[in-house]
Amino acid sequence: FDGNGNHHQHGRNHQQNQRNLNMAMLPKVFNTSNVEDESNTLPEGWYTAQIVKSEVKDTAAKDGKYISLHFKIVEGDHAKCMVFENLNIINKNPTTVKIAEQALKKICDALGIEEFEDTTELHEQDIQIMVKTQAASSNYPAKDVIKNYKAAE
């Protein structure tokens, strides 16, 4: 009661009024189905592609080297889309090198190449790549990763 004998209620009604004061009305209804996903990833599956660029680069720590491969999809709805692969050919972690060597062997087998010295020998030949989506993390958006290779059909 206040000095005039009126009862003041601070509980639930006060909280309800506060909630209404904090509400922000949008100029129109927001509907998530009207918004395209920002993901620039490809649908998962097999694609015919070609290696169109390759470089041997130093790792960020300057203690190893990797082959940077740029694959361009050459057929279908996603023709001209690019997918990138980095293969750590010199690294202090032997498992990392083994994974890279296995991927490089699959690429060579798919292209019918037994040995090569210059990565440009891998360029502009059809190859099938299996693309999967690597989920986004707190630091990086979702991205396309190549999980397998086979000879083009």
Side-chain angles (χ1 to χ4, degrees):
F1 291 98
D2 64 14
N4 297 328
N6 296 320
H7 179 72
H8 290 283
Q9 190 175 18
H10 285 286
R12 189 175 179 157
N13 288 341
H14 180 72
Q15 288 173 347
Q16 186 68 38
N17 289 338
Q18 279 299 112
R19 195 172 304 128
N20 288 341
L21 290 174
N22 294 333
M23 200 166 75
M25 290 297 296
L26 298 175
K28 64 179 185 173
V29 174
F30 178 76
N31 184 329
T32 59
S33 65
N34 296 333
V35 180
E36 286 188 40
D37 282 335
E38 270 298 303
S39 172
N40 291 327
T41 59
L42 295 164
E44 293 186 349
W46 286 98
Y47 293 91
T48 302
Q50 292 182 351
I51 297 170
V52 294
K53 182 178 178 184
S54 60
E55 298 175 83
V56 176
K57 297 181 171 185
D58 291 327
T59 58
K62 304 286 188 222
D63 61 354
K65 293 199 178 291
Y66 66 95
I67 302 172
S68 169
L69 298 173
H70 297 221
F71 290 84
K72 181 167 73 173
I73 295 174
V74 296
E75 293 180 355
D77 293 343
H78 301 284
K80 298 186 182 173
C81 289
M82 301 293 290
V83 183
F84 306 95
E85 176 78 288
N86 292 330
L87 302 173
N88 288 278
I89 54 171
I90 300 173
N91 191 287
K92 60 187 171 193
N93 182 337
T95 303
T96 301
V97 174
K98 184 177 178 181
I99 291 167
E101 288 175 343
Q102 288 170 341
L104 199 52
K105 180 183 182 338
K106 285 182 182 180
I107 292 168
C108 288
D109 288 349
L111 296 175
I113 295 173
E114 192 168 323
E115 64 181 27
F116 70 96
E117 210 171 353
D118 184 337
T119 59
T120 60
E121 294 176 50
L122 307 174
H123 289 204
E124 298 179 9
Q125 300 178 63
D126 287 357
I127 185 172
Q128 291 275 307
I129 58 173
M130 166 56 80
V131 176
K132 296 278 189 179
T133 301
Q134 180 176 306
S137 68
S138 56
N139 297 326
Y140 300 101
K143 70 174 187 173
D144 294 322
V145 291
I146 301 173
K147 288 296 189 181
N148 207 349
Y149 307 88
K150 68 181 181 181
E153 297 168 2

